[in-house]
Amino acid sequence: MTQTKKSPKKFVVANWKMHGSLKQNQSLLDAYIKALSNLKHTQIVVCAPYPYLAQLQSMLGSTDIAWGAQNMAKNEIGPFTGEVSAEMLRDFGCEYVILGHSERATAYCESDENIAQKFMTAKKHGLTPILCVGETLIEREAGVMEMVVSKQLDTIIKLYGAEAFADAIISYEPIWAIGTGLAATPDQAKAMHKFIHNKIAALNVEAENRLKILYGGSVNPQNAVQLFEVENIDGGLVGKCSLDAQNFENICFAADSIH
Ligand code: PGA
């Protein structure tokens, strides 16, 4: 397997959610591989449903595109019917795992403690966690978005210290922007990314230096450059537009053009 590019300038992560089939994935991945093999400054990561990880491993194994899962068990092994462990993800070549996505946190009642434990289990097994944080529309309108995100980070800080964020990825995903076509403005994203960086830096500068923060929520080819140009936005987590090869490629080219 080709190793993930060292310290790429930007990351673009495809979050396929519960979409795909062997056949559809094959043509989508073929298109990704053809268009994205010459990116110089951007690490592409594809996060697919569990059953397709073997397909990612066989199709992406000899490319620069990395892959990962969209969830993982907090436990390492044992009688946890239906769960998938970090080591199982490693078996299929995963380097990344999305954790705490709001679609899971709300539908499956994932607590911040649960997500924090998954975060540390992922790190322990050599996976890079992509931790999703973000506020609802009501919370934004009430002006408490920083408090909400702060609390989501505090659970990890309290249990494992701010150093846990070294070499991790946070994805700021305002819940009101996910799948709605209404992305955060560059200014809104900039303010939250700055807030997160400052919060971690106040506790551990080294960890803050080694932390990447992506933006997610209705990233598309039209808004990608504006968002990715913002200081402290290290790339994007892309849902809907990652299912269309042309849209995804254009988002990746936008990221790669900024350096
Ligand atoms: P979206 O999803 O790009 O479809 O808004 C982003 C995400 O949920 O990760």
Side-chain angles (χ1 to χ4, degrees), residues 26-74:
Q26 170 134 18
S27 61
L28 191 54
L29 291 170
D30 273 338
Y32 282 10
I33 293 165
K34 206 156 150 227
L36 302 174
S37 43
N38 290 323
L39 297 185
K40 296 212 162 33
H41 312 280
T42 309
Q43 177 65 54
I44 308 300
V45 181
V46 181
C47 292
Y50 296 136
Y52 300 126
L53 295 177
Q55 187 183 22
L56 297 187
Q57 188 174 34
S58 93
M59 288 191 68
L60 300 178
S62 56
T63 74
D64 275 344
I65 302 175
W67 63 95
Q70 302 169 8
N71 181 37
M72 192 198 83
K74 66 180 178 187

Side-chain angles (χ1 to χ4, degrees), residues 15 17 101 103 132 173 177-181 216-219 237-241:
N15 177 10
K17 309 192 178 183
H101 192 288
E103 285 161 8
C132 300
E173 300 219 314
I178 296 173
T180 59
S218 296
V219 175
L237 182 54
V238 183
K240 189 162 176 238
C241 281

Side-chain angles (χ1 to χ4, degrees), residues 125-137:
H125 290 269
L127 291 161
T128 300
I130 302 172
L131 175 77
C132 300
V133 296
E135 79 286 353
T136 63
L137 185 58

